[in-house]
Amino acid sequence: MTTTSPTPLLDIRGVQHSYGEVVALRDVSLSIADREFFALLGPSGCGKTTLLRSIAGFETPRQGTILLDGQDLTALPAHRRPVNMMFQSYALFPHMSVEKNVAYGLEAEGVGKAEIRRRVGETLEIVGLAAFAQRRPAKLSGGQRQRVALARAIIKRPRVLLLDEPLSALDRKVRAEMQLELKRMQHEAGMTFVVVTHDQEEAMSMADRVAVLNRGGIEQLDTPVGLYSRPATRFVASFIGSANLLDGSATGGPAGGASSVDVPGVAVFPATHSFAERESVTLVARPEDVHIVAPDAAPLQGVVVDTFFLGGSSTVSVEVAGLAKPISCTVHAANVATRGERVGLRFDAARVVVVANPVEAPAPAAAA
Amino acid sequence: MATQSPTPGVVPRGARRGWAALPFLTPGTLVLALFVAVPLLLVTSYAFFERGRFGGVVYTFTLDNFVRLADPLYLNVIATSIGTALIVTVLAVALGYPTALVIVRLPPKWRTIALIAVLLPFWTNFLIRTYAWILLLNNAGWINQGLQAVGIIDEPLKMLYTQPAVIIGLLYMYLPLMVLPLYSSLSSQDAQLTEAATNLGSNPFRVFRTITLPLSVPGLLTGCVFVFVPAMSNFVIPELLGGGKTVLIGNLIRDQFLKARDWPFGAALALVLTILLIALIFAQQSASRRVIEGPRERKVKRDA
């Protein structure tokens, strides 16, 4: 094992890529530490897969460097890179048994027969497929195939394991199991995982840190908790978890006076921010930061349009005059409000977040 | 395997035995019966009768036709045919595989153009193509003229009316039948498989050897059968390019029917050829299946 160095294991610097006219990555820089579980999260077409394929060597970025332990990966052909990848479709070799599939990487390396047999046995044991060594992939279930793909990718003990939408082909129940298992395996093997996903729940539950990508650029790089409680952009706020987004303009702030957000036609909400006066912003309030109070004492009133009982808590939708979407709030009791009831709403001023609200979509040339 | 009918317990009338499908199957069945089963039955039955004096058959049962096949003369013809067809098939693989591989890796627009280029000779008249080869290969042909002009040879090379000329003609004729199945097999391969192999540390050559090639074996075998079968039974090219000196089984059968007027012996030859080729196709099928599905599953003993 290498000593933990202050330099990151994987360092991506200023990577840009485009397919013809379409820009896939614009100036992406991020670093991933040794033994980190890192997620690249974003909607389809955001460039996350392009970035993963650039690390693996299947795409050559137009610009930028990708350093692994200080060594430039972009100078190496794909088959010499010390990274392994688990493909979204698993890409198991259909003409080989499970055992042969798993052994493939070691055979390419020229490892001795006895050693290969030992390590294949070990790895199949880890993923719990020892009994299926002789089967062809076609005769396995989806979850089993996924385990074979994982075994095949980890057997070479790569410095970095890349996972492309590892769980998207599995059904809900198996997916939850595999999430835990991946996390456990990453911990035990002491490997660095970089997982690409469009499923925010998946990224949030597994990763140590998440980079949210949108339109080829990084919107925010933070821990799951950080992304949820301190979204940096309107996109992140709406993409991660559920949030009430209220567009308005900044008042007060650094210039002086109590900082707040003026949502025209609705109310002025006190909130800490550092935007200039009259700047277009969005107030982000998570459902659990909205409290239902008596109507007369509250700054905001509305009518309950729906309640969803979720077991431990309920989500209440409240329609407020002047807002296009009802405000949703989480309450920890079953019968706080009933449909049609008039209620007051109070936002937790200490927890709401104010982000910039770019009026137009940013010009493509703008650097992220 | 049983398909669930939408309302359990209620089976549509006629569905149980597939009678409902009958009207749709009739045309196909008729075509097969008329153009495959009947001729095959005729040829098979002719092989067991005696020849008529002026062609046709005399309906007296005999096995003489098959006894005659054992004559070294005919065995030799069969052996030459198999040998020639084998050489043509091997050359077709050698030329066709790289061609198909290159076409698959072209950008989509060029792929179509390349495929049309491969097919183009197939759409020109077969006799014209063969005569073109005569023009190229004969003693005063373009190849000899060219070689003499450059000064490589003084005397024209004897190329036309030799076995190599027959092989060239057959190869040229059937090469598209090798390229197309290979192309279809290679182009339907999942590109992620080669990426996965590369990612696991295989250089391009090993990726080809361990992934691309084994997975294309069914297409390769189909191509081999497509080339071998007609190459073995063709009789026009051996005559035009081989000058009738190379007698292949196709020529022999044609001669029995049209020249020697020995229909029963011709039928016996045709029957042997058909059986040989059917056996070949079965072998190809089972070999392909083995590649894709793997050997029959072995029971893995595992205690604990």
Side-chain angles (χ1 to χ4, degrees):
Chain A
M1 279 283 109
T2 51
T3 51
T4 42
S5 52
T7 52
L9 178 68
L10 191 67
D11 200 0
I12 295 164
R13 290 185 191 160
V15 168
Q16 295 186 22
H17 194 54
S18 54
Y19 302 102
E21 296 285 286
V22 185
V23 179
L25 291 174
R26 53 180 106 248
D27 198 21
V28 170
S29 297
L30 57 89
S31 25
I32 297 169
D34 198 9
R35 303 189 183 199
E36 190 170 19
F37 199 128
F38 194 91
L40 296 166
L41 172 67
S44 59
C46 70
K48 56 192 192 298
T49 300
T50 305
L51 187 57
L52 200 74
R53 291 173 59 82
S54 300
I55 300 172
F58 300 132
E59 304 282 349
T60 312
R62 296 283 162 87
Q63 259 177 49
T65 51
I66 299 170
L67 302 172
L68 181 76
D69 264 340
Q71 185 198 14
D72 190 359
L73 278 186
T74 45
L76 289 175
H79 68 273
R80 296 239 174 82
R81 298 190 183 194
V83 295
N84 286 139
M85 179 154 165
M86 203 181 113
F87 289 80
Q88 183 172 9
S89 65
Y90 307 149
L92 298 180
F93 307 132
H95 58 303
M96 296 182 192
S97 63
V98 166
E99 193 177 50
K100 279 273 164 200
N101 262 285
V102 176
Y104 189 87
L106 295 180
E107 279 168 2
E109 234 178 25
V111 178
K113 278 229 162 76
E115 167 82 354
I116 290 181
R117 189 181 316 226
R118 189 180 62 74
R119 274 168 72 178
V120 167
E122 246 174 48
T123 313
L124 285 179
E125 209 71 58
I126 292 175
V127 296
L129 282 179
F132 298 89
Q134 303 299 330
R135 288 239 188 136
R136 291 281 180 120
K139 292 185 176 154
L140 297 177
S141 73
Q144 288 168 336
R145 278 180 215 179
Q146 203 243 13
R147 284 157 198 267
V148 178
L150 186 65
R152 193 178 67 174
I154 61 172
I155 194 163
K156 290 181 81 176
R157 294 170 197 147
R159 298 303 311 276
V160 178
L161 181 68
L162 309 171
L163 302 101
D164 188 5
E165 302 272 4
L167 306 173
S168 64
L170 300 178
D171 60 52
R172 218 184 151 80
K173 194 162 165 279
V174 185
R175 195 186 307 184
E177 270 169 36
M178 283 310 292
Q179 267 179 23
L180 283 175
E181 206 154 336
L182 276 181
K183 185 92 185 136
R184 177 183 63 81
M185 243 173 250
Q186 186 256 347
H187 216 74
E188 278 175 14
M191 247 181 250
T192 307
F193 277 30
V194 179
V195 57
V196 150
T197 178
H198 67 275
D199 182 341
Q200 52 109 359
E201 254 174 68
E202 203 170 289
M204 303 290 272
S205 61
M206 290 194 294
D208 299 323
R209 281 194 308 153
V210 180
V212 181
L213 275 84
N214 187 30
R215 298 182 187 190
I218 296 179
E219 291 268 337
Q220 189 174 0
L221 200 168
D222 210 334
T223 59
V225 175
L227 284 177
Y228 187 80
S229 57
R230 295 180 304 275
T233 66
R234 194 177 194 279
F235 174 82
V236 173
S238 65
F239 193 72
I240 306 282
S242 56
N244 300 299
L245 302 176
L246 289 83
D247 296 333
S249 55
T251 53
S259 72
S260 56
V261 174
D262 180 10
V263 181
V266 182
V268 176
F269 298 94
T272 353
H273 65 78
S274 50
F275 289 95
E277 188 75 22
R278 311 284 348 133
E279 208 170 326
S280 175
V281 293
T282 299
L283 184 76
V284 181
R286 298 291 179 191
E288 60 271 21
D289 300 334
V290 182
H291 305 293
I292 292 183
V293 293
D296 25 301
L300 198 61
Q301 283 114 34
V303 178
V304 176
V305 287
D306 252 321
T307 61
F308 302 97
F309 180 57
L310 300 169
S313 63
S314 301
T315 299
V316 180
S317 293
V318 180
E319 200 165 70
V320 175
L323 288 178
K325 274 190 181 169
I327 299 266
S328 59
C329 49
T330 303
V331 290
H332 292 280
N335 295 313
V336 179
T338 51
R339 210 184 136 104
E341 193 183 335
R342 191 164 178 78
V343 294
L345 295 173
R346 191 175 56 74
F347 287 16
D348 192 336
R351 301 189 50 147
V352 294
V353 176
V354 183
V355 295
N357 177 25
V359 183
E360 311 274 308
Chain B
M1 275 300 284
T3 46
Q4 205 77 40
S5 65
T7 42
V10 183
V11 180
R13 205 148 37 119
R16 197 183 301 260
R17 289 196 175 174
W19 294 124
L22 202 60
F24 302 100
L25 289 175
T26 309
T29 314
L30 275 180
V31 166
L32 279 178
L34 224 67
F35 297 113
V36 179
V38 171
L40 206 62
L41 276 173
L42 271 178
V43 168
T44 310
S45 61
Y46 282 4
F48 294 96
F49 293 127
E50 282 177 11
R51 65 178 292 194
R53 182 173 302 199
F54 305 106
V57 289
V58 174
Y59 295 97
T60 319
F61 181 83
T62 178
L63 287 173
D64 278 356
N65 298 313
F66 293 98
V67 177
R68 251 177 94 193
L69 275 175
D71 189 322
L73 180 71
Y74 300 123
L75 288 181
N76 200 22
V77 169
I78 294 175
T80 316
S81 304
I82 292 177
T84 307
L86 266 181
I87 294 173
V88 171
T89 309
V90 168
L91 290 175
V93 171
L95 281 175
Y97 203 105
T99 310
L101 208 56
V102 166
I103 295 176
V104 167
R105 289 174 188 185
L106 288 174
K109 193 182 83 184
W110 288 102
R111 213 181 292 167
T112 317
I113 293 172
L115 279 176
I116 291 173
V118 165
L119 274 174
L120 213 53
F122 224 64
W123 294 334
T124 37
N125 183 285
F126 146 71
L127 279 177
I128 293 175
R129 274 184 292 154
T130 311
Y131 278 109
W133 274 108
I134 293 178
L135 280 180
L136 284 171
L137 293 176
N138 75 40
N139 283 1
W142 292 356
I143 294 177
N144 270 320
Q145 277 181 20
L147 289 176
Q148 277 170 310
V150 181
I152 295 174
I153 51 168
D154 299 324
E155 291 289 301
L157 286 174
K158 172 94 182 126
M159 288 184 290
L160 194 60
Y161 307 137
T162 59
Q163 210 211 0
V166 176
I167 289 171
I168 289 175
L170 288 171
L171 179 62
Y172 178 70
M173 174 120 185
Y174 297 122
L175 191 55
L177 295 181
M178 176 62 77
V179 175
L180 291 181
L182 270 175
Y183 168 79
S184 117
S185 155
L186 287 170
S187 65
S188 63
Q189 270 182 27
D190 182 359
Q192 287 214 321
L193 294 181
T194 38
E195 284 186 352
T198 305
N199 182 255
L200 290 165
S202 280
N203 57 36
F205 177 70
R206 189 169 184 269
V207 172
F208 176 76
R209 189 170 59 77
T210 54
I211 307 296
T212 314
L213 183 62
L215 287 177
S216 70
V217 164
L220 186 67
L221 290 176
T222 307
C224 286
V225 167
F226 279 10
V227 171
F228 185 87
V229 169
M232 187 161 159
S233 42
N234 190 301
F235 56 86
V236 178
I237 286 175
E239 191 139 309
L240 292 178
L241 296 179
K245 278 185 276 178
T246 323
V247 177
L248 299 186
I249 192 167
N251 304 76
L252 195 58
I253 294 171
R254 199 266 320 259
D255 289 350
Q256 292 309 315
F257 276 98
L258 300 182
K259 291 188 182 160
R261 305 232 170 236
D262 191 342
W263 289 19
F265 185 56
L269 281 168
L271 194 64
V272 167
L273 182 63
T274 310
I275 289 169
L276 227 91
L277 298 180
I278 288 176
L280 189 71
I281 290 170
F282 271 107
Q284 175 244 341
Q285 295 271 315
S286 80
S288 295
R289 209 172 311 127
R290 203 155 337 119
V291 172
I292 294 309
E293 289 167 17
R296 284 180 174 276
E297 203 155 303
R298 272 170 285 164
K299 275 270 180 275
V300 186
K301 252 189 250 167
R302 201 166 277 278
D303 307 341

